[in-house]
Amino acid sequence: MKKTILGALMLLAATPLLAWQGEVAIETPNTRLLLTAWEGGDLRQSYYGDKSATLQQLRDAGDDLSFEALPTFGSVGASHLPALQVQHMDGDQNLELQVTDYSTTDDGRAVVHTFTMHDKLMPITVKLFYKAYKHVDVIETWTEITHQEKKAITLNRYDSGHLVLRQGDVWVTHLHGNWASETEPTMEPLTQGLKTIRNSDGARNSHLDAPELMLSLDGRPQELTGRTIGFALCWSGNFELRMNTVSHREHHVYAGIDPTAAHYVLDPRQTFETPHLAMAYSNEGQSGISRIFHNWARKEGMLHRGMQTGDILLNSWEGIYLDITEEKIIKMMDDIAAFGGELFVMDDGWFGDKYPRKVDNSSLGDWVVDKNKLPNGIKALTDAARERKLKFGIWIEPEMTNTVSELFEQHPDWVLQRPGRDLRKGRGGTQVVLDLTNPKVQDFVFGVVDNLMTQYPEIAYIKWDANASIENYGSTYLPKAKQSNIYVDYHLGLIKVLKRVREKYPDLVIQDCASGGGRANYGLLPYFDEFWVSDNTDALQRVYMQYGTSMFFPANAMAQHINHVPYWNTGKRIIPVKFRCDVAMSGRLGIELQPKDMTPEERQQCTTCFADYKQLRPIVQTGNLYRLLSPYDRRGVSSIMYTNDQRSQAVLFVYKTDNFYDQPLPRLRLAGLDASKTYTLVEKNVRVGEEPCKLNGKQFTGRFLMDVGIEIPLWEDYASRVFELK
Ligand code: DGJ
């Protein structure tokens, strides 16, 4: 009986399906992606760019670019890379997709175009989606793969999307770095051959290479001009972005999960959905792409916080590290309240019973309060915060454990592990990663948040950390045949947990932290409100890192804290508190030091900074970003500005990045203003003991500020200025 049904299914699959033919324009307010399904059935892509182009015009103009929208192994010529390669149950690796259906759905904010494709031989269905937003120039693309073969098939390559472009003077900008030096942009021309950007940390994916890039189509990237395409892979795990320049004709961009050690085993009738790849096009250069991504993130739900702004907080980490006591915590609350702060966050070190967290080599997983450090528990802290009109936040690292913990003693099978081999251990020589492919572990991780919130409903903020890579490749939960699903199923498990957290606690603010900026990605931001840009809070280096991070992420997602000096990683360098404040003020402002060690000048400057920031915050955190001078250009100054949508107000930040005698500093030309409006410059966060500079109170037209520009007085080392324009 069973055999007959399977036989019938195979027959059905072998019966030629009716091919769908047609031309489709996928449109956002200013952009268009053109696709055609030919007779014979494969889907081809011809154009992505400004909305002015039609297929007919392109043909009339002699443009004959046309390439498979989703190149598959077995259907594209051998010299082209596939975006999808499956191994059928019998070992065959060929796939020839023909479009059998096309449909659209419209939810008011976006139109989803669905191309349903079938293999010409085997019962495999691939749906290729394009979600085109109506209010922002972003198109998301992804696929869904399902099959009815008799046994599991293997996805050997399963990119989310592919884009073909005519070859030209195209430059790529990608972000890379390391722990404590994240997001440095590198810009380089796309030359013949393959360029691959990938990350294989397993658990995090933006410390080294990041899953976003921009392509500048008109040569060397410019901030305010030039046709530019941006890509962001919405995924928190391993990825591969490939740019293949072939045949003197085309650049191909592929983006998806890195298939290395991740060949995905897919059972019959199971559906695999690839992560979404977001693409944006702008003819306003790199900052045009940034503004599109920021808007999409904030207004279309890719950032849980949306258009809301974040509170000014004090985080305990760099002030007292693990050395938490109730007395210290409450004193820190007094200080942040006195400066005008709004939230206090108790970082690592508050937990552990049998194994109290004294150093970083124990206790993760044992999420009970350490009664030696906090004899009156967390309740005493939430009470203390309320009394000081502060919100209270707490740190957890729920995906991890230490081999020195009660959790590990009770559930050694809950950690990812290599069968028959010793555990590889990370931080503290004992840290290991929980096996999130296992539903029981998912319940546990959800429970970490749920238990805290149930016991202490006044917790308003959680810092969710993740300080280990996946070093032990093996799951006691997944069957042997599916061990290669680990890298993917880990993140699918994580997302399941985060969805549960969000369903139950939609208003809880959650910071996405992973040893600093290890998880700045659009795979996780729908569930998080902000991310920790870096464990490096040195203000000068932050000018650089924040500049790079802003290329894809909006200011209200970027947690930026004022630190103490001298700082652990930059020797004896003393950066003035004014500069430190001004740098932190350009995103979600916070402070991370021991306030009791601050000088009177530092205390006064922070108080001024907080008061001014509260007034500027809506424009900074939810405004439109224009990057004016890059620190990477080494012109001695870096500058960014934000405008509101009406262009009636703006905030300008200027930082001196080095200081030499007779150094000609560039005249600063602003951007994004209304040329016909007149703006008054008001200097903010003026240095304690000084008067505002001579530009204060001066009026200029937008035209003057953008075309002629102003000379910003920046004399001494680490000089900086903040202006409001109104
Ligand atoms: C890494 C984070 O990035 C830091 O901010 C801090 O929370 C530590 N972990 C705590 O262990």
Side-chain angles (χ1 to χ4, degrees):
M1 173 66 181
K2 216 172 155 196
K3 254 191 177 162
T4 335
I5 296 173
L6 282 167
L9 286 172
M10 298 291 283
L11 196 72
L12 193 71
T15 315
L17 288 156
L18 277 185
W20 181 90
Q21 291 179 37
E23 293 179 355
V24 176
I26 292 170
E27 295 179 343
T28 66
N30 302 296
T31 72
R32 181 172 281 162
L33 173 71
L34 293 173
L35 297 160
T36 314
W38 301 105
E39 196 183 326
D42 63 341
L43 185 67
R44 303 183 78 85
Q45 184 224 307
S46 311
Y47 171 83
Y48 178 46
D50 188 86
K51 206 173 193 170
S52 55
T54 63
L55 263 183
Q56 192 51 51
Q57 282 174 332
L58 290 165
R59 282 183 200 125
D60 291 349
D63 188 332
D64 58 353
L65 186 72
S66 162
F67 202 86
E68 277 86 344
L70 189 73
T72 59
F73 189 80
S75 77
V76 274
S79 54
H80 288 282
L81 300 173
L84 178 63
Q85 179 177 17
V86 303
Q87 181 163 357
H88 301 279
M89 64 175 194
D90 60 1
D92 174 26
Q93 304 218 23
N94 292 287
L95 192 66
E96 288 178 286
L97 296 177
Q98 62 175 11
V99 183
T100 50
D101 189 34
Y102 163 69
S103 62
T104 58
T105 55
D106 183 340
D107 69 1
R109 298 201 69 78
V111 178
V112 177
H113 302 254
T114 306
F115 295 89
T116 303
M117 305 186 272
H118 285 89
D119 183 34
K120 289 183 179 168
L121 181 67
M122 300 298 281
I124 291 192
T125 309
V126 177
K127 288 187 178 181
L128 175 59
F129 299 92
Y130 294 95
K131 180 174 184 178
Y133 285 89
K134 294 186 180 184
H135 308 286
V136 58
D137 288 314
V138 169
I139 298 173
E140 288 172 29
T141 183
W142 71 99
T143 70
E144 239 181 51
I145 304 154
T146 187
H147 73 98
Q148 301 196 330
E149 296 195 20
K150 201 167 155 188
K151 292 193 205 136
I153 64 169
T154 307
L155 310 179
N156 287 333
R157 158 79 63 190
Y158 39 103
D159 282 331
S160 298
H162 159 259
L163 191 77
V164 62
L165 302 168
R166 167 129 353 252
Q167 206 178 117
D169 188 11
V170 175
W171 285 54
V172 59
T173 303
H174 53 101
L175 302 172
H176 60 93
N178 208 335
W179 171 74
S181 65
E182 291 87 342
T183 52
E184 175 175 348
T186 283
M187 305 178 189
E188 53 190 307
L190 275 188
T191 52
Q192 212 66 26
L194 179 64
K195 165 114 197 141
T196 305
I197 314 275
R198 60 191 294 278
N199 199 313
S200 52
D201 178 283
R204 299 85 50 90
N205 71 5
S206 50
H207 270 137
L208 301 170
D209 289 293
E212 298 87 25
L213 50 87
M214 290 192 198
L215 294 183
S216 301
L217 309 189
D218 300 315
R220 188 177 284 279
Q222 303 294 327
E223 269 301 324
L224 302 172
T225 56
R227 296 171 305 150
T228 313
I229 300 176
F231 299 87
L233 185 70
C234 309
W235 180 241
S236 48
N238 295 349
F239 66 83
E240 204 171 58
L241 311 176
R242 295 174 298 159
M243 288 147 278
N244 199 20
T245 302
V246 282
S247 74
H248 302 287
R249 281 175 51 84
E250 300 135 18
H251 302 287
H252 294 261
V253 182
Y254 304 78
I257 292 174
D258 177 12
T260 310
H263 291 182
Y264 200 84
V265 179
L266 189 68
D267 285 332
R269 285 173 291 282
Q270 194 192 344
T271 300
F272 184 83
E273 181 180 329
T274 61
H276 293 204
L277 170 67
M279 306 189 291
Y281 171 87
S282 169
N283 51 24
E284 292 180 15
Q286 297 203 313
S287 66
I289 290 292
S290 303
R291 285 189 295 278
I292 293 173
F293 273 105
H294 299 173
N295 264 321
W296 168 73
R298 290 192 283 228
K299 296 188 184 142
E300 302 299 336
M302 298 312 294
L303 170 65
H304 185 261
R305 173 168 278 164
M307 289 296 286
Q308 284 174 356
T309 55
D311 291 325
I312 303 173
L313 63 82
L314 167 63
N315 178 296
S316 64
W317 181 244
E318 292 186 4
I320 54 176
Y321 294 101
L322 298 168
D323 197 11
I324 283 174
T325 63
E326 184 177 300
E327 199 193 345
K328 283 184 194 164
I329 292 288
I330 292 182
K331 174 76 180 74
M332 287 178 114
M333 285 187 196
D334 282 334
D335 286 320
I336 183 71
F339 299 153
E342 298 153 326
L343 166 68
F344 173 79
V345 181
M346 177 168 67
D347 209 281
D348 193 354
W350 59 268
F351 51 93
D353 178 19
K354 181 173 170 189
Y355 302 106
R357 177 93 162 162
K358 292 194 177 121
V359 272
D360 63 0
N361 63 3
S362 74
S363 327
L364 296 175
D366 301 349
W367 301 108
V368 287
V369 76
D370 175 353
K371 287 275 184 188
N372 292 316
K373 289 181 181 172
L374 301 172
N376 300 303
I378 290 171
K379 176 76 172 57
L381 303 182
T382 55
D383 287 347
R386 187 184 345 99
E387 281 156 19
R388 288 157 182 79
K389 298 198 169 36
L390 293 172
K391 295 178 193 164
F392 181 79
I394 196 163
W395 179 95
I396 51 174
E397 194 178 355
E399 297 155 70
M400 309 285 167
T401 188
N402 296 102
T403 50
V404 183
S405 70
E406 291 186 70
L407 181 72
F408 185 74
E409 282 173 356
Q410 287 155 16
H411 299 287
D413 56 321
W414 278 12
V415 305
L416 288 168
Q417 51 199 274
R418 306 178 300 164
R421 295 170 199 273
D422 289 343
L423 275 177
R424 286 170 64 98
K425 297 171 202 155
R427 187 180 185 191
T430 56
Q431 184 160 338
V432 284
V433 182
L434 292 174
D435 180 1
L436 268 174
T437 72
N438 182 341
K440 282 194 186 137
V441 176
Q442 293 167 15
D443 287 346
F444 169 80
V445 175
F446 170 75
V448 175
V449 177
D450 198 31
N451 293 339
L452 276 174
M453 294 306 295
T454 311
Q455 288 178 70
Y456 315 108
E458 285 186 86
I459 292 178
Y461 177 107
I462 278 185
K463 175 171 172 180
W464 179 308
D465 208 342
N467 293 303
S469 323
I470 294 183
E471 304 259 352
N472 295 291
Y473 187 81
S475 160
T476 57
Y477 171 75
L478 289 175
K480 279 191 182 139
K482 288 195 176 164
Q483 292 291 306
S484 61
N485 291 8
I486 287 174
Y487 279 144
V488 172
D489 284 354
Y490 181 89
H491 290 274
L492 297 181
L494 173 61
I495 285 165
K496 261 192 204 158
V497 172
L498 290 168
K499 280 187 175 155
R500 281 172 73 185
V501 168
R502 276 316 185 187
E503 259 163 40
K504 193 155 177 193
Y505 303 105
D507 300 329
L508 176 67
V509 175
I510 314 183
Q511 184 186 77
D512 168 8
C513 173
S515 310
R519 274 187 173 167
N521 65 62
Y522 279 118
L524 293 184
L525 279 184
Y527 315 103
F528 287 93
D529 297 273
E530 58 178 39
F531 59 88
W532 184 219
V533 173
S534 176
D535 270 349
N536 183 351
T537 50
D538 173 84
L540 181 60
Q541 200 160 350
R542 274 292 185 120
V543 171
Y544 290 75
M545 289 189 282
Q546 291 167 189
Y547 193 93
T549 307
S550 80
M551 297 192 94
F552 290 92
F553 298 101
N556 60 341
M558 292 169 55
Q560 308 183 169
H561 297 177
I562 301 163
N563 72 348
H564 57 259
V565 287
Y567 195 56
W568 61 267
N569 66 359
T570 38
K572 295 194 175 147
R573 163 155 109 198
I574 301 289
I575 297 185
V577 63
K578 153 83 175 142
F579 188 92
R580 287 180 271 144
C581 288
D582 288 354
V583 172
M585 279 173 92
S586 69
R588 199 281 285 132
L589 173 68
I591 182 165
E592 190 155 337
L593 42 67
Q594 171 51 289
K596 84 173 170 52
D597 299 337
M598 290 166 83
T599 63
E601 185 207 340
E602 286 178 320
R603 298 177 84 86
Q604 206 182 326
Q605 191 75 58
C606 283
T607 308
T608 307
C609 162
F610 286 13
D612 284 357
Y613 181 76
K614 283 180 187 166
Q615 186 216 336
L616 305 176
R617 170 162 54 190
I619 302 175
V620 171
Q621 287 202 26
T622 64
N624 303 306
L625 170 70
Y626 291 83
R627 286 182 297 263
L628 305 176
L629 287 172
S630 169
Y632 293 98
D633 287 346
R634 308 237 177 249
R635 299 184 67 196
V637 183
S638 174
S639 177
I640 59 171
M641 65 180 283
Y642 298 96
T643 65
N644 63 357
D645 284 346
Q646 304 75 33
R647 298 171 194 270
S648 56
Q649 276 175 289
V651 182
L652 172 67
F653 294 93
V654 195
Y655 310 112
K656 190 161 195 181
T657 48
D658 49 43
N659 194 21
F660 298 102
Y661 174 69
D662 204 24
Q663 180 184 18
L665 293 182
R667 174 177 277 241
L668 193 63
R669 289 168 62 205
L670 276 48
L673 299 172
D674 181 338
S676 63
K677 284 197 166 94
T678 299
Y679 297 87
T680 307
L681 264 67
V682 181
E683 187 172 2
K684 308 302 283 190
N685 194 33
V686 176
R687 191 174 187 152
V688 169
E690 287 185 5
E691 292 299 313
C693 74
K694 59 185 181 201
L695 285 167
N696 187 52
K698 296 285 183 315
Q699 294 194 326
F700 304 95
T701 61
R703 164 81 55 221
F704 181 91
L705 291 168
M706 293 190 291
D707 286 355
V708 182
I710 46 180
E711 303 276 347
I712 311 279
L714 297 168
W715 299 116
E716 70 285 343
D717 283 359
Y718 305 112
S720 60
R721 303 269 178 198
V722 180
F723 295 95
E724 181 185 14
L725 282 80
K726 49 184 188 181

